[in-house]
């Protein structure tokens, strides 16, 4: 019925509609529903930087969606497509995402209208430092108020510049390096942050495959082993998800869709090899271990078990939703499915693991990084050797007193205490598993919600409403 309207919603409207749909199942007052929905504030900063002998004016945004918990959290994206509506939609998703995976942050998002490729490294550093200064002046970057992170077009390098600029301006704040997450490890970052969003997608899929009724709903069978996957976008998130799923779970990446075209191979693409090819600056079409096809809207519609949109919003929309042949979609990107497409896909029985859950791995590990920064100690530093010596005593006692013989690999793996990366991965795995079971249980108890997205929104709206009510709103 909705689809008969023949018009689609933009990203911001899509998030609002998905939110509204779930909210209609709650008994929260419409006024509070409205309050939770709106974006509290969006700051637009315009600043000039003298580059190549001229002053260039840049426009940046930082949207603060909800401050029911502070600091607020969310990435900063560098792209020419950045605009106020987009950052507000992304900030709203951050509020819901953090609530869903129980990390104690409100939601925020930022963006700078810039094509990073147009500038060299030195210029990008100057632009980033100036942007940071503008944000810092307004407390839009601050360890206890607002903590940015990487997003599309930004990474460890930009976070290092931002942290350093903030640190210079706030050198008496002992927590100053906690002003951003996603920093390089040697500058206060955490092991496993770069891979975190892709890793989270892997853990989410592993959890899905632990639930036979969900596997059945998706018209799939068995495990991840041998599943045919199409990945759209081989950036940080897509690359890590595809790499881990193929190397560790036996899934076959049968197609990688990039801006410049796609590579297909029914026996599975070696993701590391393809990434290396692109890293060497070679064009996709010269990659020989698969069939190249020019960019075409049909690529995303191809048959597969699992479709992973891992690039940007709105790629599955009213124009192609009814042609999607994937049995299930896991939204590694933010907002890849418009509200209209969501309704078409639901009608067609395509199983969707929604963005606010599926890509929450990034912010989860950001939370670990922030805790590490304000704790001023690496995870595992105190316990690791103590754990190791206790484990060694146990193994030695079993061997000496009971004559048990242990396989060498098992022995060293068992004895070794957990390192930071082990703890980060375990913490992320636990987070993804718990959140999946939470939204699945809610759906089981309230089947009228209909799907995991609505159940996820329903869960977080109730949770945030409780926060607001408890503080007297
Ligand atoms: N930009 C990422 C996201 O969309 C990470 C945000 C963060 O770590 O704060 O979830």
């Amino acid at each position: 019925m909705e689809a008969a309207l023949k018009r689609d919603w933009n990203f911001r409207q899509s998030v609002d509609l998905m939110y509204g749909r779930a909210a209609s199942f709650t008994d929260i007052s419409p006024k509070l529903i409205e309050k939770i929905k709106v974006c509290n504030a969006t700051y637009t900063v315009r600043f000039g930087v003298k580059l190549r002998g001229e002053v260039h004016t840049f426009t940046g945004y930082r949207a603060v969606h909800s401050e029911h918990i502070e600091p607020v959290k969310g990435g900063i994206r560098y792209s020419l497509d950045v605009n106020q509506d987009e950052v507000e939609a992304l900030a709203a998703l951050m509020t819901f995402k953090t609530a869903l995976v129980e990390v104690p942050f409100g939601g925020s998002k930022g963006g700078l209208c810039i094509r990073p490729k147009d500038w060299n490294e030195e210029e990008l550093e100057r632009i980033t430092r100036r942007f940071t200064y503008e944000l810092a002046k307004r407390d839009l970057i601050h360890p206890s108020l607002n903590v940015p992170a990487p997003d599309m077009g930004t990474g460890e390098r930009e976070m290092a510049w931002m942290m350093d600029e903030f640190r210079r301006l706030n050198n008496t704040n002992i927590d100053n390096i906690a002003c951003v997450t996603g920093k390089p490890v040697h500058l206060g970052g955490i092991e496993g942050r770069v891979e975190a969003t892709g890793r989270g997608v892997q853990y989410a899929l592993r959890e899905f495959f632990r639930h036979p009724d969900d596997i059945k709903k998706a018209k799939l069978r068995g495990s991840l082993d041998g599943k045919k996957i199409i990945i759209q976008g081989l950036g940080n998130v897509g690359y890590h998800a595809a790499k881990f799923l193929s190397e560790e779970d036996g899934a076959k990446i049968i197609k990688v869709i990039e801006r410049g075209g796609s590579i297909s191979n029914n026996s599975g693409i070696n993701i590391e090899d393809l990434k290396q090819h692109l890293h060497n600056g070679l064009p996709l079409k010269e990659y020989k271990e698969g069939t190249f096809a020019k960019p075409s809207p049909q690529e995303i519609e191809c048959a597969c078990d699992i479709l992973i949109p891992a690039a940007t919003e709105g790629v599955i929309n009213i124009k192609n939703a009814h042609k999607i042949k994937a049995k299930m979609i896991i939204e590694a990107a933010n907002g890849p499915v418009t509200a209209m497409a969501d309704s078409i896909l639901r009608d067609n029985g395509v199983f969707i693991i929604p963005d606010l859950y599926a890509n929450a791995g990034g912010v989860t590990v950001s939370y670990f990084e922030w805790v590490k920064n304000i704790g001023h100690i690496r995870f595992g530093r105190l316990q690791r050797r103590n754990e190791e010596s206790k484990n060694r005593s146990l193994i030695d006692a079993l061997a000496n007193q009971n004559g048990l013989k242990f396989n060498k690999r098992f022995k060293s793996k068992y004895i070794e205490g957990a390192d930071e990366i082990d703890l980060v991965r375990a913490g992320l795995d636990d987070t993804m598993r718990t959140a999946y079971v939470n939204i699945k249980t809610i759906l089981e108890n309230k089947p009228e919600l209909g799907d995991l997205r609505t159940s996820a929104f329903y869960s977080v709206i109730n949770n945030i409403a409780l926060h607001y009510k408890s503080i007297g709103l």
Side-chain angles (χ1 to χ4, degrees), residues 73-77 90 94 97 105 109 147-152 181 193 197 334 359-360 362-367:
K73 189 85 189 78
I76 289 192
R77 112 175 359 186
L90 288 162
M94 286 310 303
K97 203 185 297 190
F105 297 133
K109 199 82 174 201
V147 182
D151 200 76
M152 270 169 55
T181 57
R193 175 61 186 87
T197 314
N334 286 310
N359 69 34
V363 74
T364 301
V365 177
S366 276
Y367 167 51

Side-chain angles (χ1 to χ4, degrees), residues 174-245:
I174 196 163
D175 291 323
N176 53 19
I177 69 163
C179 67
V180 286
T181 57
K183 303 177 288 291
V185 177
H186 60 274
L187 286 182
I190 195 166
E191 297 286 352
R193 175 61 186 87
V194 176
E195 66 170 41
T197 314
R199 189 59 88 181
V201 171
Q202 176 196 29
Y203 289 164
L205 275 173
R206 283 185 178 174
E207 183 56 24
F208 163 85
F209 277 101
R210 286 190 190 101
H211 300 278
D213 49 334
D214 285 349
I215 302 174
K216 210 168 146 198
K217 273 193 212 161
K219 301 180 200 77
L220 288 167
R221 294 164 86 161
S223 67
L224 263 169
D225 193 30
K227 289 290 171 292
K228 293 187 171 174
I229 296 183
I230 295 181
I231 191 121
Q232 185 252 342
L234 205 62
N236 180 44
V237 180
Y239 158 67
H240 282 106
K243 176 181 164 70
F244 299 146
L245 289 164

